[in-house]
Amino acid sequence: MSGSRTGRPPVRRAVRGPAAPRPPRENPFVRLSTRARRAWDRPLTAYYLILGGSLLITVLGLVMVYSASQITALQMSLPGSYFFRKQMLAAVIGAGLLFAASRMPVKLHRALAYPILAGAVFLMALVQVPGIGMAVNGNQNWIALGGSFQIQPSEFGKLALVLWGADLLARKQDKKLLAQWKHMLVPLVPVAFMLLGLIMLGGDMGTGIIVTAILFGLLWLAGAPTRLFVGVLAVAAVIGTVLIQSSSNRLDRFRCIGATEMGPDGSCWQAVHGIYALASGGFFGSGLGASVEKWGQLPEAHTDFIFAVTGEELGLAGTLSVLALFAALGYAGIRVAGRTEDPFVRYAAGGVTTWITAQAVINIGAVLGLLPIAGVPLPLFSYGGSALLPTMFAIGLLIAFARDEPAARAALAMRQPRFGRKRGAGGSQGPRRWNTMRRRASAARTSGER
């Protein structure tokens, strides 16, 4: 009798079929790129990039201003934190301007365009009045406000050109006049040249280059034909060449592009010592406060050449971080300008992005020896309240425009506070509900459980 020892019939085991093939594992790089692409496409990406990027640049700039300006302040028999305290005051005022600009409606921004332009032109003309205007480093573009405070009206001229130019082009687009080249150029180009003339009367060619870049950005966004664009660019190039040839100081700055020696007369001293500062930083720098070049070797260490001190103290990692923050800020501005249907928002966002990006490229390119030294500060980073205040107001514009996108507005409206009172359907506030594990667990029990 066949069977098991226990007398039970043998158990027949099921025959296993072939194992199902496992799905192929997804490439981690593909998965990472997919997640990054989804994150870039979110409605609030531009809003967070502008807000977070500008905040990080400003905070890091305050740290570097404090580090780079200590020796200069002590050499002037001032407290070591003198320049830092002034920059901190300007940052606090600028934060208020940023918040106000980010909460203003578009109509109010457009209404402010003409008053800001008129005020900027008046102050820029006032600079040339003897006894009122003052010269700093050979450029007479400043007005003394009393004590140690000064203001540079040409910095506000950039903001004025962006707002007024955007409002002008938007109104002409609504009337479908931009197809005619006369309406595209007049009065935008004459007013821009008027601002350039007032700036160049003081000898500040660096700020003039930024204003020219803003003008070209507005014309590009308005759809200027290639021939018209090239024509305006040719006129600007001729004027720039004449201005450069008429000044030995400007010619020396062009000769110092890529210089590795200071020259017999020391004309390339600043450019060469900026390269020395970057070269001695290595990958991670010598540490905050440990710069050697700021001890009198590098002129304007806390203003125009603060990027060089950043490279010496924070190394390649610090400079690449600054570049990444400016790249993110520029990308977010382009995205805001490209996704809006409002012509004023498109022109204003594009003008602000052109302004900040062009100024950052010119400043960093000069420190790296790739461009002539133009004497313009690094936006949001270098010391200077006159440059910081209008720039932070412009950042507030970008934040307001990013919040005003339809998708971003819907995403912000769907948000609810994680803690606190939740609004009911009728708008009345119910009791406070705390989403803790203990409350959820107690709510899941029946009345008889203990």
Side-chain angles (χ1 to χ4, degrees):
M1 180 177 177
S2 61
S4 62
R5 295 181 180 180
T6 59
R8 296 178 180 177
V11 178
R12 296 182 179 180
R13 297 181 178 179
V15 181
R16 294 183 178 180
R22 295 182 177 180
R25 300 182 63 181
E26 187 179 0
N27 191 336
F29 295 102
V30 176
R31 183 169 64 252
L32 182 63
S33 64
T34 303
R35 291 181 178 179
R37 195 180 304 111
R38 290 176 180 174
W40 286 115
D41 291 337
R42 289 177 181 175
L44 294 176
T45 297
Y47 170 74
Y48 287 131
L49 284 178
I50 296 170
L51 180 61
S54 59
L55 178 63
L56 288 175
I57 293 173
T58 305
V59 172
L60 183 58
L62 288 172
V63 174
M64 294 311 305
V65 165
Y66 180 66
S67 176
S69 65
Q70 288 183 357
I71 306 304
T72 303
L74 294 176
Q75 289 174 346
M76 299 172 62
S77 301
L78 296 171
S81 61
Y82 174 77
F83 293 103
F84 169 75
R85 287 181 294 176
K86 292 184 64 177
Q87 187 74 356
M88 176 62 75
L89 177 62
V92 172
I93 298 174
L97 293 176
L98 184 149
F99 179 79
S102 66
R103 294 295 178 176
M104 288 181 185
V106 174
K107 291 183 179 180
L108 184 54
H109 287 146
R110 300 186 69 167
L112 289 175
Y114 284 86
I116 292 177
L117 177 65
V121 171
F122 174 75
L123 292 176
M124 291 168 68
L126 202 62
V127 168
Q128 306 304 323
V129 177
I132 298 179
M134 59 180 300
V136 177
N137 295 331
N139 295 334
Q140 187 164 344
N141 284 309
W142 298 81
I143 296 177
L145 298 180
S148 60
F149 292 94
Q150 305 164 356
I151 186 174
Q152 187 177 4
S154 57
E155 293 291 339
F156 295 89
K158 304 172 188 177
L159 177 64
L161 180 60
V162 168
L163 285 177
W164 177 81
D167 179 70
L168 175 70
L169 293 175
R171 286 189 289 107
K172 290 195 173 187
Q173 180 173 334
D174 292 339
K175 297 179 181 178
K176 298 182 180 180
L177 297 175
L178 290 181
Q180 306 176 25
W181 66 270
K182 293 182 180 180
H183 287 283
M184 183 176 292
L185 294 181
V186 180
L188 178 62
V189 175
V191 171
F193 280 3
M194 179 188 64
L195 294 175
L196 285 172
L198 292 173
I199 292 171
M200 292 310 301
L201 282 176
D204 189 2
M205 189 170 182
T207 304
I209 294 174
I210 305 302
V211 171
T212 305
I214 295 173
L215 173 62
F216 287 158
L218 292 175
L219 290 176
W220 181 271
L221 291 169
T226 305
R227 293 179 298 174
L228 183 62
F229 198 82
V230 172
V232 177
L233 182 61
V235 172
V238 171
I239 296 175
T241 303
V242 172
L243 292 174
I244 292 170
Q245 294 291 337
S246 61
S247 174
S248 59
N249 183 29
R250 294 171 188 147
L251 283 174
D252 290 338
R253 293 186 179 187
F254 272 87
R255 295 192 187 102
C256 292
I257 297 178
T260 56
E261 297 181 359
M262 289 172 281
D265 56 349
S267 58
C268 298
W269 178 280
Q270 187 178 25
V272 172
H273 277 277
I275 297 297
Y276 288 168
L278 291 172
S280 60
F283 285 99
F284 299 104
S286 57
L288 281 174
S291 170
V292 176
E293 291 294 330
K294 69 182 180 183
W295 286 77
Q297 299 297 321
L298 180 63
E300 307 296 336
H302 60 297
T303 54
D304 301 343
F305 269 68
I306 194 171
F307 188 76
V309 180
T310 304
E312 185 178 5
E313 295 188 351
L314 301 183
L316 182 64
T319 55
L320 290 180
S321 299
V322 174
L323 291 175
L325 289 174
F326 276 108
L329 195 60
Y331 165 80
I334 294 174
R335 173 170 168 167
V336 171
R339 293 195 174 190
T340 183
E341 299 294 334
D342 190 335
F344 172 79
V345 173
R346 180 169 63 254
Y347 295 134
V352 171
T353 305
T354 303
W355 163 15
I356 296 177
T357 305
Q359 188 164 329
V361 169
I362 291 173
N363 178 276
I364 296 175
V367 175
L368 296 176
L370 303 176
L371 295 173
I373 300 174
V376 295
L378 190 59
L380 302 173
F381 202 84
S382 297
Y383 169 79
S386 295
L388 184 62
L389 295 181
T391 306
M392 294 193 75
F393 187 89
I395 294 296
L397 287 177
L398 290 180
I399 293 175
F401 298 156
R403 290 170 56 93
D404 200 46
E405 290 183 11
R409 217 167 37 237
L412 290 172
M414 291 176 60
R415 285 184 167 188
Q416 291 183 355
R418 182 172 297 181
F419 299 102
R421 301 179 184 273
K422 294 185 178 180
R423 298 185 179 274
S428 61
Q429 295 182 353
R432 187 181 299 272
R433 299 179 182 177
W434 300 99
N435 294 327
T436 60
M437 292 296 294
R438 178 174 296 180
R439 182 170 292 278
R440 288 198 296 268
S442 62
R445 296 176 182 172
T446 60
S447 58
E449 291 181 354
R450 293 289 187 270

